[in-house]
Amino acid sequence: MNVLAINGSPRKSWNTATLLNKALEGAAAQGAATELIHLYDLSYKGCISCFACKLKDGKSYGKCAYQDDLTPVLEKIANADAVFLGSPIYLGNVTGEMRSLMERMAFQYLVYDKNYSSLIEKKKPVGFIYTMNIKEEMLHEWGYDIILPTTEKAFARTFGATESLYVTDTYQFSDYDKYVVTAFDAAAKKQRREEVFPQDCEKAYAMGVRFATKSVAEIGAGQPVG
C-alpha cells in the first residue's frame, strides 16, 4: 500500500501539514508506505490547455504532456493507492498551488465523451483536508459547502472515491499580539487550538487508517457523490 500526501500550504509545520502527517501516520500504522510532498518547494504551472492529453493517437493521450517539477509528482499520484490533498482556504478556495496541481492531476484523465469517462488505470480514494479561519457555522454563509464539494464530485468521478475533512476556526499565529487581528479573540483561538485541534488530528489519523484498509468502493459508499 502506497499512500501519498500533498501539502498545498506554504507552511511546512503548521495546521495543514500537521493534519496531513497525521493522516499518513494512520496509514503507516496499517503498514502503508507513505510520502509527503510540499508544493511550495516546486516550480510548475497549472493546465496550459495544450490538449495533448486528448489528442487522438497522441503520445501523451491520457497523460499530462507539460514537463516541469510537477511531472514526477503526477507520476507518483498515478502509482499511489491513495492520495491526500491538503490546503488552507484562501479567498474561498484552495491555494493557487493546490488548484494548479488539481487541474493537471484530474484533467489528463478526463474524456470528453458522453459519459465524461476517466482514463485512469488505477482507481484510488482522494482525501481532501481543508483548514480555514472561519467557524463551522459559517461554511454555508460563505458557500464553502457548495464550492468545495463541486471539485470533490469531479475527483470522485475521475479517481473513484473522495472523502473530506473540514477543519475550521484554526489557530493562525503563535502570538496574536504581533498582528492586526482585532476581529479575533486570541484567547478563544488558543483554547480551540488546545482542545479541538487534537480532535481534528484524530479525525485525520482515522482517515489515514480508512484509506489504507478500505477499498475505493467502500470509501465511496461512505461518501456519496451528488
Side-chain angles (χ1 to χ4, degrees), residues 37-148:
I37 295 173
H38 298 286
L39 288 181
Y40 276 76
D41 286 344
L42 310 177
S43 177
Y44 61 95
K45 298 178 182 294
C47 177
I48 63 168
S49 199
C50 67
F51 291 101
C53 61
K54 309 208 176 338
L55 187 64
K56 292 181 179 179
D57 301 319
K59 64 179 182 180
S60 293
Y61 184 70
K63 183 177 182 180
C64 183
Y66 194 80
Q67 299 291 306
D68 58 14
D69 286 357
L70 205 58
T71 302
V73 177
L74 295 176
E75 190 67 26
K76 288 182 177 183
I77 291 172
N79 293 326
D81 296 294
V83 178
F84 287 99
L85 303 179
S87 177
I89 299 300
Y90 290 175
L91 299 176
N93 213 320
V94 296
T95 61
E97 278 70 12
M98 177 56 73
R99 188 68 193 183
S100 291
L101 164 72
M102 290 164 68
E103 289 173 1
R104 289 175 59 188
M105 178 177 169
F107 189 65
Q108 60 184 338
Y109 300 122
L110 173 65
V111 181
Y112 280 151
D113 59 13
K114 292 182 178 179
N115 297 318
Y116 287 94
S117 305
S118 173
L119 291 172
I120 192 167
E121 296 181 0
K122 189 176 185 179
K123 294 286 187 178
K124 67 203 68 195
V126 177
F128 293 89
I129 296 179
Y130 308 110
T131 59
M132 61 199 75
N133 193 41
I134 68 171
K135 296 182 178 181
E136 185 175 1
E137 58 266 27
M138 298 170 67
L139 288 172
H140 181 69
E141 176 185 348
W142 287 93
Y144 289 11
D145 58 344
I146 298 174
I147 296 169
L148 299 175

Side-chain angles (χ1 to χ4, degrees), residues 1-21:
M1 190 74 177
N2 179 21
V3 180
L4 183 66
I6 302 177
N7 179 24
S9 169
R11 295 174 165 187
K12 295 183 178 180
S13 59
W14 206 247
N15 299 316
T16 306
T18 298
L19 291 159
L20 288 171
N21 276 311

